[in-house]
Amino acid sequence: MKTTHIFLLFLELFFISPIESSPRSSSSQQHFLRSTRKTSGNHRNEVAPQQYFEVTHPLPTDDVTPACSVSVLDHSFGNTYGSPPVSVNYTPPPATCEWSLAVLEFRAECKGEQYDRIAGIWIDGVELLRTSTAQPTEDGIFWSVRKDVTRYSSVISKPNLTLAVMLENLVNDEFTGVYHVNVSFLFYSDKVASVPTVPLFMVPGESGAHTLNRKLISVEISENEDKIEVDRVLNSLYPYNKPADWVIPISSGLDDGFWFRIQDEFHIQTTNVEISQKTYKAVLELYVSFHGDDEFWYMNPTDSYVETNHLATGRAHGAYREVLVTIDGQLVGSVIPFPVIFTGGINPLFWEPVVSIGAFDLPSYDIDMTPFLGLLLDNKSHSIGLQVAEGISFWLIDANLHIWLDQSNVNAETINYKVPSMVIQRKSEFALLDGEFELEGERSSEATGSVNSSFGILKTQITEKTKFKSKLKFKSEGTMKQLDQKIKKKTKIKITNEIGQVIGSLKVKTEYPTKISIDTQPGVDKDTFVMTTKVQQERSEKFYGENYSRILNHKQNCSGSMVVLGNSVLSGSSENHQNYNYQDEFGCYSRNVDVVDGNLVGDQTFLICDD
Ligand SMILES: *[C@@H]1O[C@H](CO)[C@@H](O)[C@H](O)[C@H]1NC(C)=O
Ligand SMILES: *[C@@H]1O[C@H](CO)[C@@H](O)[C@H](O)[C@H]1NC(C)=O
Ligand SMILES: *[C@@H]1O[C@H](CO)[C@@H](O)[C@H](O)[C@H]1NC(C)=O
Ligand SMILES: *[C@@H]1O[C@H](CO)[C@@H](O)[C@H](O)[C@H]1NC(C)=O
Ligand SMILES: *[C@@H]1O[C@H](CO)[C@@H](O)[C@H](O)[C@H]1NC(C)=O
Ligand SMILES: *[C@@H]1O[C@H](CO)[C@@H](O)[C@H](O)[C@H]1NC(C)=O
């Protein structure tokens, strides 16, 4: 992600220090501008703006007419650098509109030449969406993002709030792209949530596959049955199976966006919260994106490599990063984020018209804080802290603390917890520009707490194991870079009643493997380079409850080469193959997308479960 600040810095380096265009420094570059002026060929004949998209599963409401909708923002983000977010009044739909599901729609269009930008949407400091923009073309591009925001029901049903959108952009003679953005909310009533035509989940080991229709149907069913279906839909969506009663922003509220700008590992941002004595469940939802020298944190070599080789780059400090969450200075949770690649990243030609996994709807990460309610429910203010282990400039982070309330005050006790810091083994070897940097980290944590509420005395026990492995190699005098990284996390949640019976359990397994290779060679024309690039990435998230499971597996496999001058891409060829698989108790959705040189050559959707 190019932000203006970094961009200015870059220009400076580029103009005042010609060393930037030597193969060495060029190989430390991973962020590019997909230059529209200099391209020959593929875009010449096209006139109509092209639609970009992120591969994801459709929402069950997509084909349904909303009960009502609210347009909140219609704004052009031109030269917005250094300006506060754009704020507008948010008014929920009238009381006559009955709704139980809400969808946020973000539509954007842009034309000209422009970097990719990061954007965030908040209502009263509660973040609803973190998204990034696609780099436009001369003919223009457009896209839309739809996100289920039912989990924020307590926020979006309140009147007289402020919706803020931050999108820092820079427009001048050279960078002409203005992002036109519309934000609206679509509200759906219970009725539409009647999901399955074939209600059963695939039986594991069953031979063959069967088709399940996930499409919404507007069948006439009695009120009661309808309700049951809705419950079933929502129940599969831990931890927001029932939207929280209150969402407390852990955000900055300053004029440069509600996100905290975290500059280094010592930079701890805190928010004091005083939560209701009625709280029986709490979940912290983290929003994270990485920029500047840490945009490609997973490919950063050690400081000593950069210093020893006198490289003019700030991209260093090793390749381990983790977002840490504290309560009154005590570590209670952590997240190693999925390495989302923005549309200027590695090779911009990969990301047209299909963007990278998570680029339009960055994942948020949930940390169940229920075992820690004993620390929070003493009618006193507590400080929630956010920081980035080993981070360098800069990260944009904030969080939403979702809380669920009982009718009257509850009693909570934090029985025990052990959240140690990550134990990391590091091996780094280099001679001049060639080297190998290996990292291996592991952490096992555990927390148990009990809450005495109108549901009885329920004990929540959470155990979690995080593993992190990274191998970064620099070869052929640093012109060849290879990354092999794995992030794995297993979380087990068990809820028992006062007589020790298990009344709820869940296992969550996430795996984020990433392999990247970048080979930089001198180009034919003066000062140009030819970069051969590969990205293989997977986002795998599996939820196993007692009676349901929800599985997401999204893979991308990209390869290509490009001719670059400075940080502008002049030409190239690319392939992007994505396989998306999603399944829950109602069925399966798969989509395979193949893109060659910016053209969608294959796009198949299956509603079949296969194993
Ligand atoms: C935003 O809404 C306006 C008014 O409906 C419409 O003219 C414009 O094309 C929309 N822009 C986008 C990016 O959808
Ligand atoms: C919203 O704000 C307006 C103007 O400040 C006020 O007149 C109105 O009563 C408020 N509505 C609610 C529901 O608070
Ligand atoms: C919580 O603190 C407030 C003042 O800070 C006080 O008015 C209230 O009685 C306290 N409640 C309980 C349950 O202690
Ligand atoms: C749980 O709460 C109820 C109602 O407030 C109370 O009667 C009971 O003693 C509490 N139990 C424990 C073990 O604290
Ligand atoms: C799971 O299914 C069993 C058997 O159908 C049922 O008794 C139990 O209540 C269900 N558990 C949940 C959490 O729905
Ligand atoms: C990735 O794509 C390339 C080119 O299409 C293909 O040769 C390779 O086998 C693919 N790798 C994986 C792991 O799918």
Side-chain angles (χ1 to χ4, degrees):
M1 174 66 39
K2 199 74 158 190
T3 66
T4 310
H5 175 72
I6 298 304
F7 157 66
L8 290 173
L9 209 112
F10 226 107
L11 271 188
E12 225 167 73
L13 285 174
F14 185 56
F15 289 126
I16 64 170
S17 88
I19 199 160
E20 263 303 290
S21 50
S22 77
R24 294 176 177 190
S25 44
S26 191
S27 69
S28 75
Q29 203 164 292
Q30 286 134 18
H31 192 120
F32 299 91
L33 178 70
R34 199 266 187 256
S35 177
T36 58
R37 287 160 307 148
K38 295 155 195 140
T39 33
S40 56
N42 27 358
H43 283 279
R44 278 286 150 84
N45 309 330
E46 288 171 41
V47 224
Q50 197 182 4
Q51 180 165 18
Y52 278 39
F53 61 97
E54 178 178 337
V55 177
T56 182
H57 64 274
L59 297 176
T61 46
D62 276 353
D63 297 335
V64 177
T65 311
C68 52
S69 61
V70 176
S71 289
V72 193
L73 180 100
D74 177 356
H75 189 82
S76 296
F77 291 85
N79 202 21
T80 47
Y81 176 63
S83 310
V86 171
S87 294
V88 290
N89 191 269
Y90 171 79
T91 311
T96 49
C97 174
E98 272 187 50
W99 61 273
S100 59
L101 296 165
V103 171
L104 171 82
E105 190 176 64
F106 174 96
R107 305 180 73 89
E109 54 190 35
C110 190
K111 195 174 179 163
E113 182 141 313
Q114 195 51 267
Y115 281 108
D116 46 335
R117 306 290 179 185
I118 191 75
I121 301 183
W122 299 265
I123 290 187
D124 255 27
V126 170
E127 184 156 359
L128 306 188
L129 175 72
R130 183 75 58 95
T131 184
S132 68
T133 65
Q135 292 190 354
T137 62
E138 239 174 41
D139 300 322
I141 63 166
F142 66 99
W143 71 93
S144 75
V145 184
R146 278 186 172 198
K147 178 174 177 180
D148 183 342
V149 290
T150 309
R151 71 179 66 167
Y152 309 108
S153 292
S154 67
V155 180
I156 56 183
S157 55
K158 275 184 226 148
N160 281 1
L161 301 182
T162 302
L163 178 133
V165 181
M166 185 76 177
L167 193 168
E168 271 188 306
N169 194 17
L170 187 97
V171 174
N172 55 28
D173 288 348
E174 197 179 350
F175 302 107
T176 52
V178 170
Y179 288 103
H180 303 284
V181 172
N182 286 1
V183 176
S184 52
F185 289 85
L186 311 171
F187 297 92
Y188 300 88
S189 77
D190 284 3
K191 295 272 188 316
V192 305
S194 45
V195 169
T197 45
V198 183
L200 280 179
F201 186 48
M202 180 194 62
V203 179
E206 205 175 63
S207 65
H210 54 263
T211 314
L212 298 175
N213 188 356
R214 296 197 79 250
K215 274 210 167 165
L216 280 183
I217 39 152
S218 310
V219 288
E220 287 297 319
I221 42 178
S222 80
E223 279 295 300
N224 274 347
E225 276 175 71
D226 211 22
K227 270 273 185 285
I228 290 164
E229 294 296 1
V230 172
D231 285 348
R232 291 191 52 190
V233 172
L234 297 177
N235 268 328
S236 61
L237 300 171
Y238 168 87
Y240 306 105
N241 31 335
K242 177 174 170 269
D245 298 297
W246 200 264
V247 187
I248 302 167
I250 312 293
S251 58
S252 108
L254 289 178
D255 275 353
D256 55 352
F258 287 89
W259 41 41
F260 293 117
R261 269 164 216 260
I262 298 198
Q263 302 294 352
D264 61 40
E265 58 198 304
F266 309 109
H267 194 179
I268 303 170
Q269 289 285 5
T270 59
T271 299
N272 289 329
V273 297
E274 202 173 316
I275 73 170
S276 164
Q277 301 281 105
K278 294 178 182 166
T279 308
Y280 68 89
K281 173 179 163 184
V283 172
L284 188 86
E285 181 191 26
L286 273 175
Y287 278 93
V288 175
S289 56
F290 17 90
H291 309 277
D293 286 339
D294 249 358
E295 178 177 346
F296 305 96
W297 56 270
Y298 38 89
M299 294 195 84
N300 284 9
T302 57
D303 291 345
S304 63
Y305 174 86
V306 170
E307 283 158 19
T308 311
N309 287 298
H310 307 290
L311 298 179
T313 177
R315 293 186 166 159
H317 217 47
Y320 156 68
R321 301 289 183 275
E322 196 171 19
V323 180
L324 306 178
V325 178
T326 56
I327 296 179
D328 301 326
Q330 301 275 318
L331 185 62
V332 295
S334 67
V335 165
I336 303 180
F338 177 79
V340 175
I341 301 170
F342 303 116
T343 59
I346 313 294
N347 180 344
L349 303 175
F350 288 160
W351 318 123
E352 48 182 46
V354 176
V355 299
S356 177
I357 301 174
F360 279 161
D361 183 3
L362 275 80
S364 62
Y365 306 89
D366 299 316
I367 298 176
D368 196 325
M369 306 280 266
T370 310
F372 299 102
L373 283 176
L375 305 180
L376 296 170
L377 290 190
D378 54 1
N379 202 26
K380 288 193 187 120
S381 165
H382 293 275
S383 139
I384 309 273
L386 302 175
Q387 66 193 97
V388 182
E390 299 188 13
I392 55 173
S393 186
F394 62 92
W395 289 59
L396 295 173
I397 301 184
D398 57 33
N400 301 323
L401 182 59
H402 296 252
I403 62 174
W404 285 259
L405 305 175
D406 204 359
Q407 291 99 334
S408 48
N409 287 0
V410 308
N411 268 307
E413 189 193 349
T414 295
I415 298 165
N416 61 55
Y417 69 98
K418 191 183 80 191
V419 186
S421 35
M422 181 88 91
V423 178
I424 304 170
Q425 286 181 306
R426 299 163 204 260
K427 209 173 99 193
S428 103
E429 281 172 0
F430 63 89
L432 298 176
L433 286 159
D434 288 352
E436 234 179 271
F437 308 93
E438 282 184 63
L439 291 167
E440 224 175 304
E442 198 172 315
R443 174 215 311 280
S444 294
S445 59
E446 194 180 330
T448 309
S450 82
V451 177
N452 182 6
S453 69
S454 65
F455 307 109
I457 301 172
L458 298 183
K459 192 158 97 177
T460 303
Q461 185 187 39
I462 301 182
T463 52
E464 191 164 88
K465 192 161 191 168
T466 307
K467 282 186 177 181
F468 171 76
K469 229 179 181 175
S470 159
K471 192 186 245 182
L472 181 64
K473 284 189 197 172
F474 289 30
K475 297 197 279 203
S476 308
E477 294 176 29
T479 58
M480 188 135 167
K481 253 187 187 185
Q482 289 172 342
L483 169 75
D484 186 352
Q485 187 211 46
K486 285 192 186 78
I487 303 166
K488 285 188 189 179
K489 187 165 175 168
K490 260 190 218 171
T491 309
K492 284 185 197 168
I493 301 176
K494 195 169 83 178
I495 301 171
T496 45
N497 64 13
E498 49 232 271
I499 56 166
Q501 278 174 323
V502 178
I503 61 153
S505 73
L506 179 78
K507 278 185 206 162
V508 185
K509 260 174 96 171
T510 58
E511 288 185 30
Y512 303 148
T514 299
K515 283 186 186 179
I516 296 175
S517 73
I518 304 172
D519 181 11
T520 308
Q521 298 298 327
V524 176
D525 294 324
K526 189 172 175 290
D527 295 335
T528 62
F529 295 94
V530 177
M531 300 179 83
T532 309
T533 50
K534 277 191 192 138
V535 171
Q536 267 179 34
Q537 230 186 351
E538 184 176 338
R539 176 180 174 197
S540 161
E541 299 178 349
K542 301 173 179 166
F543 291 72
Y544 299 104
E546 279 152 272
N547 295 345
Y548 73 89
S549 64
R550 176 159 49 106
I551 295 171
L552 166 70
N553 184 283
H554 189 176
K555 286 185 192 155
Q556 64 188 9
N557 176 10
C558 315
S559 58
S561 64
M562 57 180 179
V563 178
V564 302
L565 174 69
N567 59 347
S568 281
V569 176
L570 305 183
S571 62
S573 70
S574 67
E575 287 189 27
N576 181 346
H577 304 278
Q578 295 197 11
N579 298 317
Y580 184 95
N581 288 288
Y582 178 81
Q583 89 184 44
D584 59 20
E585 68 266 53
F586 301 115
C588 302
Y589 175 86
S590 303
R591 186 169 176 188
N592 298 335
V593 168
D594 301 289
V595 180
V596 175
D597 294 335
N599 300 310
L600 201 59
V601 296
D603 186 357
Q604 287 177 299
T605 299
F606 306 94
L607 302 169
I608 289 173
C609 301
D610 61 0
D611 35 6

